[in-house]
Amino acid sequence: MTAGADDLWRPASGCGPGCLPAPGEVPAVGVARRAGRLLAGAGLLLLGTGLAVLLPVLPERDGQAAVRAWARGTLRAFGVRLAVRGRPPRRRALLVANHVSWLDVLVVLAVAPARLVAKREVRSWPLVGLLAGAAGTVFVD
């Protein structure tokens, strides 16, 4: 199947089935790398809390750039490599995407300025609610 214009936002991997481990095989990740990712992820979550405090006083453009940089850094801290193909719309656009994991939210934030929509319960989640609210998330019932 060839990729068409409709596939711009569809996740894809250039890897294919050959990159997957054999059944029963578990990829080895060293203790040092796991500890480093955990510390980096925790540090970026704390940095995100500081960013949440600063966002209301930053100019909108600077705030959006800070959120994108924070999302990229957080993805990288957890070992996610982001490859962007194509370019985001130059004007305002509506992107409807049902995400599969919490990483998808960071990917959308890392690519372009975005306001997300979340169920209202997210606002009350520890730390995540604070970060989502500061990033301009619209909470709905």
Side-chain angles (χ1 to χ4, degrees), residues 2-108:
T2 59
D6 295 337
D7 293 333
L8 177 62
W9 289 97
R10 187 173 298 160
S13 171
C15 188
C19 294
L20 297 174
E25 180 183 320
V26 178
V29 177
V31 173
R33 179 168 284 181
R34 285 186 295 198
R37 285 184 179 164
L38 180 63
L39 288 173
L44 277 155
L45 288 175
L46 287 174
L47 181 66
T49 305
L51 180 59
V53 172
L54 288 177
L55 280 175
V57 298
L58 288 175
E60 185 178 353
R61 189 176 212 107
D62 293 342
Q64 291 171 345
V67 168
R68 279 194 310 277
W70 174 81
R72 278 190 224 109
T74 304
L75 287 167
R76 189 69 189 132
F78 287 114
V80 176
R81 292 189 187 120
L82 181 62
V84 179
R85 292 185 184 96
R87 63 179 164 81
R90 292 183 182 184
R91 296 185 294 205
R92 293 178 183 230
L94 176 65
L95 168 66
V96 179
N98 190 11
H99 60 88
V100 204
S101 87
W102 59 273
L103 290 172
D104 297 348
V105 173
L106 291 175
V107 167
V108 170

